Amino acid sequence: SSVVLALTMEFTFVARQVDGLILVETWDDLSNERLTPLKAQAKQLLKTLQSAPRQCSIDSSGFVFHYVIHDGIIFLVLCSQSYPAKLAHAFLLEIQNAFQEELKREYGTSYGVDYRSLVDTIEKPYYFIKFDSVIQAKKKDFKDPSSSKALQKLNESLSDVSNIMKQNIDDMLRRGENLQEVGRKAEDLKYASHDLKKTTKMLSFQALLRKYGVVGVIVLFVLLFVYLRFF
């Protein structure tokens, strides 16, 4: 049984890159408590990938998060550390291609349709939850790396994992926290700048009133007198 545990493919996520909104999540083994903290890590990780490299493998306590980003969509799978990285990325490529077909079914194939913009308008998570069945069907071909189907997929794969960046989950999550902090500070600065502009305009207006207020009242009085006298 140890060999089986050493070569596992656990759960898969598809999420929006801009904010980590989960579009679909596979519900594999809900009773497996060891996956609960890893799923929590995955959800944190998905929120840190706005400016991340297109492909990456991230170590996390005996497991590896493999992900691919394509056209604003993140495809992420958790595998055991011994599971072949090339096979994991071949799986992600198949999920990516299948999801493109799902987008065509959902939004049509008319000329000029911008799937990324349409996905960006989604407000609620798990919008494509039915796509879970497609992921599960494809996962069967990859679940056992020693199977003939998996070996065939491995041989057909064009993925070059030697060039894929490798990271540590703690470093990635810290980086994400730092990016979020930078984002919050940038937002605070934007509002502070907006308030400063309003204050500056008000002060300028008050200065003009002090400078020209008396003259303005006299001119207004003269105009009113002329209007009443001659019209």
Side-chain angles (χ1 to χ4, degrees):
S1 60
S2 60
V3 175
V4 175
L5 288 172
L7 295 168
T8 54
M9 176 180 281
E10 302 294 351
F11 53 75
T12 307
F13 281 92
V14 179
R16 189 165 61 192
Q17 184 184 10
V18 68
D19 56 3
L21 181 80
I22 297 169
L23 302 174
V24 57
E25 170 185 352
T26 57
W27 303 90
D28 301 76
D29 186 357
L30 296 176
S31 63
N32 192 342
E33 293 183 0
R34 73 193 175 105
L35 294 181
T36 302
L38 289 163
K39 280 209 168 189
Q41 276 190 344
K43 290 174 182 179
Q44 279 183 280
L45 181 62
L46 289 169
K47 294 178 180 179
T48 71
L49 302 179
Q50 289 89 347
S51 57
R54 196 178 69 82
Q55 289 180 295
C56 193
S57 296
I58 304 162
D59 289 327
S60 178
S61 305
F63 290 88
V64 183
F65 291 104
H66 301 280
Y67 76 76
V68 172
I69 301 173
H70 175 74
D71 202 22
I73 305 292
I74 305 165
F75 304 89
L76 180 145
V77 64
L78 179 78
C79 300
S80 62
Q81 211 156 31
S82 301
Y83 191 93
K86 186 172 183 178
L87 196 58
H89 282 272
F91 168 73
L92 290 173
L93 182 60
E94 287 212 4
I95 298 303
Q96 172 190 316
N97 291 336
F99 192 70
Q100 289 300 308
E101 295 304 311
E102 184 73 12
L103 290 175
K104 290 176 184 177
R105 281 191 291 273
E106 178 68 21
Y107 297 116
T109 57
S110 58
Y111 177 75
V113 61
D114 185 349
Y115 297 120
R116 183 168 184 166
S117 295
L118 290 167
V119 169
D120 283 347
T121 63
I122 294 172
E123 296 180 358
K124 295 182 179 180
Y126 304 106
Y127 187 86
F128 288 97
I129 193 61
K130 291 180 180 179
F131 187 68
D132 171 52
S133 60
V134 177
I135 296 175
Q136 297 291 9
K138 291 193 172 294
K139 186 177 175 181
K140 291 177 182 177
D141 293 341
F142 291 86
K143 197 167 182 67
D144 179 6
S146 61
S147 69
S148 57
K149 279 191 176 181
L151 291 172
Q152 182 183 348
K153 299 283 186 185
L154 197 60
N155 291 330
E156 292 172 353
S157 173
L158 299 176
S159 299
D160 182 7
V161 294
S162 63
N163 293 325
I164 293 174
M165 184 180 288
K166 294 177 176 62
Q167 294 278 356
N168 176 272
I169 186 66
D170 294 327
D171 294 337
M172 289 292 289
L173 294 180
R174 271 196 297 271
R175 173 180 170 274
E177 288 171 1
N178 290 338
L179 286 174
Q180 287 175 351
E181 184 63 26
V182 168
R184 280 194 293 270
K185 287 181 178 178
E187 196 70 13
D188 290 343
L189 282 172
K190 185 176 78 173
Y191 285 120
S193 175
H194 180 69
D195 291 341
L196 181 61
K197 285 179 181 177
K198 284 175 66 178
T199 304
T200 302
K201 285 181 180 178
M202 182 62 71
L203 289 172
S204 298
F205 180 69
Q206 289 175 354
L208 284 171
L209 280 179
R210 283 196 296 270
K211 188 173 181 180
Y212 301 109
V214 176
V215 176
V217 170
I218 293 171
V219 170
L220 185 62
F221 180 77
V222 171
L223 289 173
L224 183 61
F225 174 78
V226 171
Y227 178 80
L228 293 175
R229 181 69 177 82
F230 297 105
F231 296 95

